Amino acid sequence: ARRDLCGGRREIVVPTATIRFVAMYGMPLFFVFSGFVIQYNYRQLFVARGYARAACEFAAARAARLFPLYFLLLLMAVAADDFPSRVYNHGALGIKILAYYGTLTQTWWYIVFDGKSIIDWLFSLSWSISTEMFFYAAFVVVIPLLLSIRRPRQSIAVAVS
C-alpha cells in the first residue's frame, strides 16, 4: 500500500457492487458491442460477394484469429488439469468432451457428464470463446435478414421479431 503525505496507508477500495456489476454485465455488454463491430466490419463483405463465399471468408478470418491461441491453451489445460487420468476409467468420455472443446461448442448446449457440467471438466475459462463462436455462427445465419433492412421501420420490425 502507498503512504500518503501524513504517513498513513492509502488503499484502493473497489466496492463489491462494482465487481458484481462488471461480472454480471461486462461479458454480455462485450458480446453486444462485438456484434455491432462484426456487423460493421463484415457487412460489406456479404454485400459485395456471394453469401457462400462471404460466409467462408468470415469463418476463415474468425478461425485464424481465435483457434491458434485457443488450441495452445487447450493443450496446456489438458496437461495442467491432468485430464487424461481423470477420464481414463470413463470409456469414451474424454473423446466426447474433447470433441465439444475442439469444435468450440461446449457452451452451445447444457451437457452433463458423470454429474458434472461439461464446462467443469476442462478449461472452464473457454466458455466465453465458445459463446463467441456461437454468435459468429448466428451472425452468418442472420446477416441476410440484416442486409434486407432498408428503412428504420424495418429495423424495428426485425428487432421485435
Side-chain angles (χ1 to χ4, degrees):
R2 296 176 146 185
R3 303 266 179 201
D4 64 15
L5 294 176
C6 298
R9 289 180 61 158
R10 185 175 58 174
E11 296 180 14
I12 298 173
V13 178
V14 179
T16 305
T18 302
I19 294 170
R20 285 187 184 151
F21 179 84
V22 170
M24 195 161 145
Y25 297 108
M27 284 307 283
L29 193 57
F30 165 78
F31 288 133
V32 169
F33 288 146
S34 179
F36 284 115
V37 170
I38 292 293
Q39 200 276 342
Y40 179 79
N41 286 334
Y42 287 98
R43 183 181 194 282
Q44 192 57 39
L45 175 69
F46 281 86
V47 169
R49 309 209 182 199
Y51 177 79
R53 172 126 177 135
C56 288
E57 287 184 29
F58 174 76
R62 299 290 87 205
R65 185 175 179 103
L66 292 176
F67 280 138
L69 182 60
Y70 171 74
F71 282 128
L72 175 67
L73 293 174
L74 180 61
L75 288 173
M76 291 172 63
V78 166
D81 291 346
D82 199 23
F83 182 72
S85 68
R86 290 188 340 181
V87 296
Y88 182 74
N89 292 325
H90 290 85
L93 179 62
I95 293 169
K96 288 178 185 177
I97 291 172
L98 287 175
Y100 283 106
Y101 277 85
T103 57
L104 277 168
T105 56
Q106 66 269 32
T107 61
W108 294 22
W109 300 275
Y110 181 70
I111 302 166
V112 176
F113 290 122
D114 199 32
K116 287 171 54 176
S117 169
I118 191 169
I119 292 300
D120 295 326
W121 275 97
L122 176 69
F123 195 23
S124 61
L125 292 176
S126 67
W127 73 266
S128 63
I129 303 297
S130 175
T131 304
E132 189 173 354
M133 287 300 288
F134 174 81
F135 286 115
Y136 290 158
F139 174 74
V140 171
V141 172
V142 171
I143 189 69
L145 181 61
L146 295 175
L147 293 175
S148 70
I149 297 172
R150 301 282 184 235
R151 294 187 299 257
R153 286 182 187 238
Q154 289 176 321
S155 63
I156 293 169
V158 168
V160 172
S161 62

Short mmCIF file of all heavy atoms in Angstrom, two decimals, residues 96-152:
data_model
loop_
_atom_site.label_atom_id
_atom_site.label_comp_id
_atom_site.label_asym_id
_atom_site.label_seq_id
_atom_site.Cartn_x
_atom_site.Cartn_y
_atom_site.Cartn_z
N LYS A 96 -15.47 -37.54 -26.12
CA LYS A 96 -16.69 -36.74 -26.26
C LYS A 96 -16.44 -35.30 -25.81
O LYS A 96 -16.82 -34.35 -26.48
CB LYS A 96 -17.83 -37.35 -25.44
CG LYS A 96 -18.38 -38.62 -26.00
CD LYS A 96 -19.47 -39.16 -25.08
CE LYS A 96 -19.97 -40.51 -25.53
NZ LYS A 96 -20.96 -41.05 -24.60
N ILE A 97 -15.81 -35.17 -24.64
CA ILE A 97 -15.55 -33.83 -24.11
C ILE A 97 -14.61 -33.07 -25.04
O ILE A 97 -14.86 -31.90 -25.36
CB ILE A 97 -14.98 -33.93 -22.68
CG1 ILE A 97 -16.06 -34.43 -21.73
CG2 ILE A 97 -14.44 -32.58 -22.21
CD1 ILE A 97 -15.58 -34.76 -20.34
N LEU A 98 -13.55 -33.71 -25.49
CA LEU A 98 -12.61 -33.04 -26.39
C LEU A 98 -13.25 -32.69 -27.73
O LEU A 98 -12.85 -31.70 -28.37
CB LEU A 98 -11.36 -33.88 -26.58
CG LEU A 98 -10.42 -33.93 -25.38
CD1 LEU A 98 -9.27 -34.91 -25.64
CD2 LEU A 98 -9.89 -32.55 -25.04
N ALA A 99 -14.24 -33.46 -28.16
CA ALA A 99 -14.94 -33.13 -29.40
C ALA A 99 -15.69 -31.80 -29.26
O ALA A 99 -15.66 -30.97 -30.17
CB ALA A 99 -15.91 -34.25 -29.78
N TYR A 100 -16.34 -31.60 -28.13
CA TYR A 100 -17.02 -30.33 -27.90
C TYR A 100 -16.01 -29.19 -27.79
O TYR A 100 -16.20 -28.11 -28.36
CB TYR A 100 -17.89 -30.38 -26.64
CG TYR A 100 -19.18 -31.12 -26.83
CD1 TYR A 100 -19.37 -32.39 -26.30
CD2 TYR A 100 -20.23 -30.55 -27.54
CE1 TYR A 100 -20.56 -33.08 -26.49
CE2 TYR A 100 -21.42 -31.22 -27.73
CZ TYR A 100 -21.58 -32.48 -27.19
OH TYR A 100 -22.76 -33.15 -27.37
N TYR A 101 -14.95 -29.40 -27.03
CA TYR A 101 -13.94 -28.37 -26.86
C TYR A 101 -13.20 -28.09 -28.18
O TYR A 101 -12.86 -26.95 -28.46
CB TYR A 101 -12.95 -28.73 -25.75
CG TYR A 101 -13.47 -28.38 -24.39
CD1 TYR A 101 -14.30 -29.24 -23.69
CD2 TYR A 101 -13.13 -27.17 -23.79
CE1 TYR A 101 -14.78 -28.91 -22.44
CE2 TYR A 101 -13.61 -26.83 -22.54
CZ TYR A 101 -14.43 -27.70 -21.87
OH TYR A 101 -14.92 -27.37 -20.63
N GLY A 102 -12.94 -29.12 -28.95
CA GLY A 102 -12.23 -28.95 -30.22
C GLY A 102 -13.02 -28.17 -31.25
O GLY A 102 -12.46 -27.49 -32.10
N THR A 103 -14.35 -28.27 -31.17
CA THR A 103 -15.21 -27.54 -32.10
C THR A 103 -15.75 -26.24 -31.49
O THR A 103 -16.54 -25.55 -32.11
CB THR A 103 -16.40 -28.42 -32.53
OG1 THR A 103 -17.11 -28.84 -31.37
CG2 THR A 103 -15.92 -29.62 -33.32
N LEU A 104 -15.33 -25.95 -30.27
CA LEU A 104 -15.77 -24.76 -29.53
C LEU A 104 -17.29 -24.70 -29.39
O LEU A 104 -17.90 -23.64 -29.48
CB LEU A 104 -15.24 -23.48 -30.18
CG LEU A 104 -13.83 -23.10 -29.80
CD1 LEU A 104 -13.30 -22.00 -30.71
CD2 LEU A 104 -13.77 -22.66 -28.36
N THR A 105 -17.91 -25.83 -29.15
CA THR A 105 -19.36 -25.88 -28.96
C THR A 105 -19.74 -26.32 -27.55
O THR A 105 -20.88 -26.70 -27.31
CB THR A 105 -20.00 -26.84 -29.99
OG1 THR A 105 -19.40 -28.12 -29.86
CG2 THR A 105 -19.84 -26.32 -31.40
N GLN A 106 -18.81 -26.24 -26.61
CA GLN A 106 -19.07 -26.74 -25.26
C GLN A 106 -20.11 -25.95 -24.48
O GLN A 106 -20.67 -26.46 -23.52
CB GLN A 106 -17.77 -26.86 -24.45
CG GLN A 106 -17.07 -25.56 -24.15
CD GLN A 106 -16.06 -25.16 -25.18
OE1 GLN A 106 -16.19 -25.45 -26.35
NE2 GLN A 106 -15.02 -24.46 -24.74
N THR A 107 -20.42 -24.74 -24.90
CA THR A 107 -21.46 -23.98 -24.20
C THR A 107 -22.72 -23.81 -25.04
O THR A 107 -23.64 -23.11 -24.63
CB THR A 107 -20.95 -22.57 -23.81
OG1 THR A 107 -20.60 -21.85 -25.00
CG2 THR A 107 -19.78 -22.66 -22.86
N TRP A 108 -22.78 -24.45 -26.17
CA TRP A 108 -23.95 -24.28 -27.03
C TRP A 108 -25.16 -25.05 -26.49
O TRP A 108 -26.29 -24.71 -26.81
CB TRP A 108 -23.64 -24.72 -28.45
CG TRP A 108 -22.63 -23.85 -29.14
CD1 TRP A 108 -21.70 -23.03 -28.57
CD2 TRP A 108 -22.46 -23.72 -30.54
NE1 TRP A 108 -20.96 -22.41 -29.53
CE2 TRP A 108 -21.39 -22.81 -30.76
CE3 TRP A 108 -23.08 -24.29 -31.63
CZ2 TRP A 108 -20.95 -22.45 -32.02
CZ3 TRP A 108 -22.63 -23.93 -32.89
CH2 TRP A 108 -21.59 -23.02 -33.08
N TRP A 109 -24.92 -26.08 -25.72
CA TRP A 109 -25.98 -26.87 -25.10
C TRP A 109 -25.59 -27.13 -23.66
O TRP A 109 -24.41 -27.11 -23.32
CB TRP A 109 -26.15 -28.23 -25.80
CG TRP A 109 -26.50 -28.10 -27.23
CD1 TRP A 109 -27.76 -27.94 -27.76
CD2 TRP A 109 -25.61 -28.10 -28.35
NE1 TRP A 109 -27.68 -27.84 -29.13
CE2 TRP A 109 -26.37 -27.93 -29.52
CE3 TRP A 109 -24.22 -28.23 -28.49
CZ2 TRP A 109 -25.82 -27.89 -30.78
CZ3 TRP A 109 -23.67 -28.18 -29.75
CH2 TRP A 109 -24.46 -28.01 -30.87
N TYR A 110 -26.56 -27.39 -22.82
CA TYR A 110 -26.27 -27.76 -21.43
C TYR A 110 -26.03 -29.27 -21.41
O TYR A 110 -26.95 -30.05 -21.60
CB TYR A 110 -27.43 -27.37 -20.51
CG TYR A 110 -27.16 -27.72 -19.08
CD1 TYR A 110 -26.20 -27.01 -18.36
CD2 TYR A 110 -27.83 -28.75 -18.45
CE1 TYR A 110 -25.93 -27.33 -17.05
CE2 TYR A 110 -27.56 -29.07 -17.14
CZ TYR A 110 -26.61 -28.35 -16.44
OH TYR A 110 -26.34 -28.67 -15.14
N ILE A 111 -24.79 -29.64 -21.19
CA ILE A 111 -24.40 -31.04 -21.24
C ILE A 111 -23.79 -31.44 -19.90
O ILE A 111 -22.92 -30.73 -19.38
CB ILE A 111 -23.38 -31.28 -22.37
CG1 ILE A 111 -23.97 -30.83 -23.70
CG2 ILE A 111 -22.95 -32.73 -22.42
CD1 ILE A 111 -22.94 -30.70 -24.80
N VAL A 112 -24.25 -32.57 -19.38
CA VAL A 112 -23.72 -33.08 -18.11
C VAL A 112 -23.15 -34.46 -18.35
O VAL A 112 -23.82 -35.33 -18.91
CB VAL A 112 -24.83 -33.13 -17.04
CG1 VAL A 112 -24.31 -33.74 -15.75
CG2 VAL A 112 -25.39 -31.74 -16.78
N PHE A 113 -21.90 -34.66 -17.94
CA PHE A 113 -21.25 -35.96 -18.00
C PHE A 113 -20.86 -36.36 -16.58
O PHE A 113 -20.17 -35.59 -15.89
CB PHE A 113 -19.99 -35.92 -18.87
CG PHE A 113 -20.24 -35.75 -20.33
CD1 PHE A 113 -19.68 -34.69 -21.03
CD2 PHE A 113 -21.01 -36.66 -21.04
CE1 PHE A 113 -19.89 -34.54 -22.39
CE2 PHE A 113 -21.22 -36.52 -22.40
CZ PHE A 113 -20.66 -35.45 -23.07
N ASP A 114 -21.31 -37.50 -16.17
CA ASP A 114 -20.95 -38.04 -14.86
C ASP A 114 -21.24 -37.04 -13.74
O ASP A 114 -20.44 -36.85 -12.84
CB ASP A 114 -19.48 -38.46 -14.86
CG ASP A 114 -19.17 -39.44 -13.74
OD1 ASP A 114 -20.06 -40.24 -13.37
OD2 ASP A 114 -18.03 -39.41 -13.24
N GLY A 115 -22.38 -36.37 -13.83
CA GLY A 115 -22.81 -35.44 -12.79
C GLY A 115 -22.16 -34.08 -12.81
O GLY A 115 -22.40 -33.26 -11.94
N LYS A 116 -21.31 -33.80 -13.80
CA LYS A 116 -20.65 -32.50 -13.91
C LYS A 116 -20.95 -31.87 -15.26
O LYS A 116 -20.94 -32.55 -16.28
CB LYS A 116 -19.12 -32.67 -13.79
CG LYS A 116 -18.64 -32.98 -12.40
CD LYS A 116 -17.18 -33.36 -12.33
CE LYS A 116 -16.25 -32.37 -12.93
NZ LYS A 116 -14.83 -32.75 -12.74
N SER A 117 -21.20 -30.58 -15.23
CA SER A 117 -21.37 -29.84 -16.48
C SER A 117 -20.09 -29.96 -17.29
O SER A 117 -18.98 -30.01 -16.75
CB SER A 117 -21.66 -28.37 -16.17
OG SER A 117 -21.58 -27.60 -17.34
N ILE A 118 -20.23 -29.97 -18.59
CA ILE A 118 -19.06 -30.11 -19.47
C ILE A 118 -18.05 -29.00 -19.22
O ILE A 118 -16.84 -29.21 -19.34
CB ILE A 118 -19.48 -30.18 -20.96
CG1 ILE A 118 -18.28 -30.59 -21.82
CG2 ILE A 118 -20.06 -28.88 -21.42
CD1 ILE A 118 -18.63 -30.92 -23.23
N ILE A 119 -18.52 -27.83 -18.84
CA ILE A 119 -17.62 -26.72 -18.57
C ILE A 119 -16.73 -27.00 -17.37
O ILE A 119 -15.61 -26.50 -17.27
CB ILE A 119 -18.44 -25.43 -18.35
CG1 ILE A 119 -19.10 -25.00 -19.64
CG2 ILE A 119 -17.58 -24.29 -17.84
CD1 ILE A 119 -18.15 -24.71 -20.76
N ASP A 120 -17.19 -27.80 -16.43
CA ASP A 120 -16.41 -28.10 -15.24
C ASP A 120 -15.41 -29.23 -15.45
O ASP A 120 -14.62 -29.53 -14.55
CB ASP A 120 -17.34 -28.46 -14.08
CG ASP A 120 -18.19 -27.27 -13.66
OD1 ASP A 120 -17.70 -26.13 -13.75
OD2 ASP A 120 -19.36 -27.48 -13.28
N TRP A 121 -15.41 -29.86 -16.59
CA TRP A 121 -14.47 -30.94 -16.85
C TRP A 121 -13.10 -30.44 -17.26
O TRP A 121 -12.07 -31.05 -16.96
CB TRP A 121 -15.02 -31.89 -17.92
CG TRP A 121 -15.92 -32.93 -17.37
CD1 TRP A 121 -17.28 -32.90 -17.34
CD2 TRP A 121 -15.54 -34.16 -16.76
NE1 TRP A 121 -17.78 -34.02 -16.74
CE2 TRP A 121 -16.72 -34.83 -16.38
CE3 TRP A 121 -14.32 -34.77 -16.48
CZ2 TRP A 121 -16.72 -36.05 -15.75
CZ3 TRP A 121 -14.32 -36.00 -15.86
CH2 TRP A 121 -15.51 -36.63 -15.50
N LEU A 122 -13.06 -29.35 -18.02
CA LEU A 122 -11.79 -28.93 -18.61
C LEU A 122 -11.85 -27.47 -19.02
O LEU A 122 -12.85 -27.04 -19.61
CB LEU A 122 -11.49 -29.80 -19.84
CG LEU A 122 -10.28 -29.50 -20.68
CD1 LEU A 122 -9.00 -29.81 -19.93
CD2 LEU A 122 -10.32 -30.32 -21.97
N PHE A 123 -10.83 -26.70 -18.73
CA PHE A 123 -10.64 -25.35 -19.26
C PHE A 123 -11.91 -24.51 -19.20
O PHE A 123 -12.43 -24.04 -20.20
CB PHE A 123 -10.12 -25.48 -20.69
CG PHE A 123 -9.52 -24.23 -21.28
CD1 PHE A 123 -9.01 -23.22 -20.50
CD2 PHE A 123 -9.46 -24.07 -22.65
CE1 PHE A 123 -8.45 -22.09 -21.04
CE2 PHE A 123 -8.90 -22.95 -23.22
CZ PHE A 123 -8.40 -21.96 -22.42
N SER A 124 -12.40 -24.29 -17.98
CA SER A 124 -13.68 -23.62 -17.80
C SER A 124 -13.68 -22.18 -18.33
O SER A 124 -14.74 -21.66 -18.67
CB SER A 124 -14.10 -23.65 -16.34
OG SER A 124 -13.13 -22.98 -15.55
N LEU A 125 -12.53 -21.56 -18.41
CA LEU A 125 -12.48 -20.18 -18.92
C LEU A 125 -12.82 -20.08 -20.41
O LEU A 125 -13.07 -19.00 -20.92
CB LEU A 125 -11.10 -19.57 -18.67
CG LEU A 125 -10.75 -19.32 -17.21
CD1 LEU A 125 -9.32 -18.81 -17.10
CD2 LEU A 125 -11.72 -18.35 -16.58
N SER A 126 -12.84 -21.20 -21.08
CA SER A 126 -13.10 -21.18 -22.53
C SER A 126 -14.58 -20.95 -22.85
O SER A 126 -14.93 -20.85 -24.03
CB SER A 126 -12.63 -22.47 -23.18
OG SER A 126 -13.42 -23.56 -22.74
N TRP A 127 -15.42 -20.83 -21.85
CA TRP A 127 -16.85 -20.64 -22.12
C TRP A 127 -17.08 -19.38 -22.96
O TRP A 127 -17.96 -19.37 -23.82
CB TRP A 127 -17.66 -20.56 -20.82
CG TRP A 127 -17.47 -19.27 -20.07
CD1 TRP A 127 -16.57 -19.03 -19.07
CD2 TRP A 127 -18.16 -18.04 -20.29
NE1 TRP A 127 -16.67 -17.73 -18.65
CE2 TRP A 127 -17.64 -17.09 -19.38
CE3 TRP A 127 -19.17 -17.64 -21.17
CZ2 TRP A 127 -18.10 -15.78 -19.33
CZ3 TRP A 127 -19.62 -16.33 -21.11
CH2 TRP A 127 -19.08 -15.42 -20.19
N SER A 128 -16.31 -18.34 -22.72
CA SER A 128 -16.55 -17.09 -23.45
C SER A 128 -16.18 -17.22 -24.93
O SER A 128 -16.86 -16.67 -25.79
CB SER A 128 -15.79 -15.93 -22.81
OG SER A 128 -14.39 -16.15 -22.88
N ILE A 129 -15.13 -17.98 -25.24
CA ILE A 129 -14.74 -18.18 -26.63
C ILE A 129 -15.79 -19.05 -27.33
O ILE A 129 -16.16 -18.80 -28.47
CB ILE A 129 -13.34 -18.83 -26.73
CG1 ILE A 129 -12.31 -17.98 -26.00
CG2 ILE A 129 -12.95 -19.06 -28.18
CD1 ILE A 129 -12.11 -16.62 -26.58
N SER A 130 -16.29 -20.06 -26.62
CA SER A 130 -17.34 -20.91 -27.18
C SER A 130 -18.60 -20.10 -27.46
O SER A 130 -19.24 -20.25 -28.51
CB SER A 130 -17.65 -22.07 -26.22
OG SER A 130 -18.72 -22.82 -26.68
N THR A 131 -18.95 -19.23 -26.53
CA THR A 131 -20.13 -18.39 -26.71
C THR A 131 -19.93 -17.42 -27.87
O THR A 131 -20.84 -17.17 -28.66
CB THR A 131 -20.44 -17.64 -25.40
OG1 THR A 131 -20.61 -18.60 -24.36
CG2 THR A 131 -21.69 -16.80 -25.53
N GLU A 132 -18.71 -16.89 -27.97
CA GLU A 132 -18.40 -16.01 -29.09
C GLU A 132 -18.56 -16.74 -30.42
O GLU A 132 -19.11 -16.19 -31.39
CB GLU A 132 -16.96 -15.50 -28.93
CG GLU A 132 -16.57 -14.42 -29.89
CD GLU A 132 -15.19 -13.86 -29.57
OE1 GLU A 132 -14.58 -14.21 -28.55
OE2 GLU A 132 -14.72 -13.06 -30.40
N MET A 133 -18.11 -17.98 -30.49
CA MET A 133 -18.26 -18.78 -31.72
C MET A 133 -19.73 -19.00 -32.04
O MET A 133 -20.12 -19.01 -33.21
CB MET A 133 -17.54 -20.11 -31.59
CG MET A 133 -16.03 -19.99 -31.67
SD MET A 133 -15.43 -19.30 -33.21
CE MET A 133 -15.74 -20.65 -34.31
N PHE A 134 -20.55 -19.19 -31.01
CA PHE A 134 -22.00 -19.34 -31.24
C PHE A 134 -22.55 -18.09 -31.93
O PHE A 134 -23.32 -18.18 -32.90
CB PHE A 134 -22.73 -19.58 -29.93
CG PHE A 134 -24.22 -19.61 -30.08
CD1 PHE A 134 -24.86 -20.75 -30.53
CD2 PHE A 134 -24.98 -18.48 -29.83
CE1 PHE A 134 -26.23 -20.78 -30.70
CE2 PHE A 134 -26.35 -18.50 -30.01
CZ PHE A 134 -26.98 -19.65 -30.44
N PHE A 135 -22.16 -16.93 -31.43
CA PHE A 135 -22.67 -15.70 -32.03
C PHE A 135 -22.10 -15.45 -33.43
O PHE A 135 -22.77 -14.86 -34.27
CB PHE A 135 -22.44 -14.50 -31.10
CG PHE A 135 -23.38 -14.49 -29.93
CD1 PHE A 135 -22.90 -14.66 -28.65
CD2 PHE A 135 -24.74 -14.36 -30.13
CE1 PHE A 135 -23.76 -14.66 -27.58
CE2 PHE A 135 -25.63 -14.37 -29.05
CZ PHE A 135 -25.13 -14.52 -27.78
N TYR A 136 -20.89 -15.91 -33.70
CA TYR A 136 -20.37 -15.85 -35.06
C TYR A 136 -21.23 -16.70 -36.00
O TYR A 136 -21.57 -16.28 -37.10
CB TYR A 136 -18.92 -16.32 -35.14
CG TYR A 136 -17.92 -15.40 -34.50
CD1 TYR A 136 -16.69 -15.88 -34.09
CD2 TYR A 136 -18.17 -14.04 -34.32
CE1 TYR A 136 -15.74 -15.05 -33.51
CE2 TYR A 136 -17.24 -13.20 -33.75
CZ TYR A 136 -16.03 -13.71 -33.35
OH TYR A 136 -15.09 -12.90 -32.78
N ALA A 137 -21.57 -17.90 -35.55
CA ALA A 137 -22.42 -18.78 -36.36
C ALA A 137 -23.80 -18.15 -36.55
O ALA A 137 -24.37 -18.20 -37.64
CB ALA A 137 -22.54 -20.16 -35.71
N ALA A 138 -24.34 -17.56 -35.48
CA ALA A 138 -25.64 -16.90 -35.58
C ALA A 138 -25.59 -15.72 -36.54
O ALA A 138 -26.54 -15.48 -37.30
CB ALA A 138 -26.11 -16.44 -34.20
N PHE A 139 -24.48 -14.99 -36.54
CA PHE A 139 -24.33 -13.86 -37.45
C PHE A 139 -24.43 -14.31 -38.90
O PHE A 139 -25.10 -13.66 -39.71
CB PHE A 139 -22.98 -13.17 -37.21
CG PHE A 139 -22.68 -12.08 -38.19
CD1 PHE A 139 -23.33 -10.86 -38.13
CD2 PHE A 139 -21.74 -12.27 -39.19
CE1 PHE A 139 -23.06 -9.85 -39.04
CE2 PHE A 139 -21.46 -11.27 -40.12
CZ PHE A 139 -22.13 -10.05 -40.03
N VAL A 140 -23.78 -15.41 -39.24
CA VAL A 140 -23.83 -15.91 -40.61
C VAL A 140 -25.27 -16.27 -41.01
O VAL A 140 -25.67 -16.06 -42.14
CB VAL A 140 -22.87 -17.11 -40.79
CG1 VAL A 140 -23.06 -17.78 -42.13
CG2 VAL A 140 -21.44 -16.65 -40.62
N VAL A 141 -26.03 -16.76 -40.06
CA VAL A 141 -27.43 -17.12 -40.33
C VAL A 141 -28.30 -15.87 -40.45
O VAL A 141 -29.20 -15.81 -41.29
CB VAL A 141 -27.97 -18.06 -39.22
CG1 VAL A 141 -29.46 -18.28 -39.36
CG2 VAL A 141 -27.21 -19.38 -39.23
N VAL A 142 -28.02 -14.86 -39.64
CA VAL A 142 -28.88 -13.67 -39.56
C VAL A 142 -28.51 -12.58 -40.56
O VAL A 142 -29.35 -11.75 -40.90
CB VAL A 142 -28.85 -13.12 -38.11
CG1 VAL A 142 -29.54 -11.79 -37.99
CG2 VAL A 142 -29.46 -14.11 -37.15
N ILE A 143 -27.30 -12.59 -41.09
CA ILE A 143 -26.86 -11.50 -41.96
C ILE A 143 -27.76 -11.27 -43.18
O ILE A 143 -27.99 -10.11 -43.54
CB ILE A 143 -25.37 -11.64 -42.37
CG1 ILE A 143 -24.86 -10.38 -43.08
CG2 ILE A 143 -25.13 -12.85 -43.24
CD1 ILE A 143 -24.75 -9.18 -42.22
N PRO A 144 -28.33 -12.30 -43.80
CA PRO A 144 -29.25 -11.98 -44.92
C PRO A 144 -30.44 -11.14 -44.47
O PRO A 144 -30.86 -10.23 -45.20
CB PRO A 144 -29.71 -13.36 -45.41
CG PRO A 144 -28.62 -14.29 -45.00
CD PRO A 144 -28.12 -13.75 -43.70
N LEU A 145 -30.94 -11.40 -43.28
CA LEU A 145 -32.04 -10.60 -42.74
C LEU A 145 -31.57 -9.16 -42.48
O LEU A 145 -32.27 -8.20 -42.80
CB LEU A 145 -32.58 -11.23 -41.46
CG LEU A 145 -33.74 -10.53 -40.78
CD1 LEU A 145 -34.95 -10.50 -41.70
CD2 LEU A 145 -34.07 -11.23 -39.47
N LEU A 146 -30.38 -9.01 -41.92
CA LEU A 146 -29.85 -7.68 -41.66
C LEU A 146 -29.63 -6.90 -42.95
O LEU A 146 -29.87 -5.69 -43.01
CB LEU A 146 -28.53 -7.77 -40.89
CG LEU A 146 -28.60 -8.34 -39.48
CD1 LEU A 146 -27.21 -8.49 -38.89
CD2 LEU A 146 -29.47 -7.48 -38.59
N LEU A 147 -29.19 -7.59 -43.99
CA LEU A 147 -28.95 -6.92 -45.27
C LEU A 147 -30.24 -6.50 -45.96
O LEU A 147 -30.23 -5.61 -46.81
CB LEU A 147 -28.14 -7.82 -46.20
CG LEU A 147 -26.70 -8.09 -45.77
CD1 LEU A 147 -26.04 -9.08 -46.72
CD2 LEU A 147 -25.91 -6.81 -45.68
N SER A 148 -31.34 -7.12 -45.59
CA SER A 148 -32.62 -6.77 -46.21
C SER A 148 -33.23 -5.50 -45.62
O SER A 148 -34.19 -4.97 -46.17
CB SER A 148 -33.61 -7.93 -46.08
OG SER A 148 -34.02 -8.08 -44.72
N ILE A 149 -32.68 -5.00 -44.54
CA ILE A 149 -33.21 -3.80 -43.90
C ILE A 149 -32.83 -2.58 -44.73
O ILE A 149 -31.66 -2.33 -44.99
CB ILE A 149 -32.66 -3.65 -42.46
CG1 ILE A 149 -33.13 -4.83 -41.60
CG2 ILE A 149 -33.10 -2.33 -41.85
CD1 ILE A 149 -32.48 -4.87 -40.24
N ARG A 150 -33.83 -1.84 -45.16
CA ARG A 150 -33.59 -0.65 -45.97
C ARG A 150 -34.06 0.64 -45.28
O ARG A 150 -33.58 1.71 -45.57
CB ARG A 150 -34.33 -0.76 -47.32
CG ARG A 150 -33.92 -1.96 -48.13
CD ARG A 150 -32.60 -1.69 -48.80
NE ARG A 150 -32.25 -2.83 -49.65
CZ ARG A 150 -31.13 -3.50 -49.56
NH1 ARG A 150 -30.23 -3.17 -48.69
NH2 ARG A 150 -30.89 -4.53 -50.34
N ARG A 151 -35.04 0.53 -44.40
CA ARG A 151 -35.60 1.71 -43.74
C ARG A 151 -35.63 1.50 -42.22
O ARG A 151 -35.66 0.36 -41.75
CB ARG A 151 -37.02 1.95 -44.26
CG ARG A 151 -37.06 2.34 -45.72
CD ARG A 151 -38.46 2.74 -46.15
NE ARG A 151 -39.40 1.63 -45.98
CZ ARG A 151 -39.86 0.87 -46.97
NH1 ARG A 151 -39.49 1.12 -48.20
NH2 ARG A 151 -40.70 -0.10 -46.73
N PRO A 152 -35.64 2.58 -41.46
CA PRO A 152 -35.66 2.47 -40.00
C PRO A 152 -36.83 1.63 -39.46
O PRO A 152 -36.67 0.87 -38.52
CB PRO A 152 -35.77 3.92 -39.52
CG PRO A 152 -35.17 4.72 -40.63
CD PRO A 152 -35.52 3.98 -41.89
#
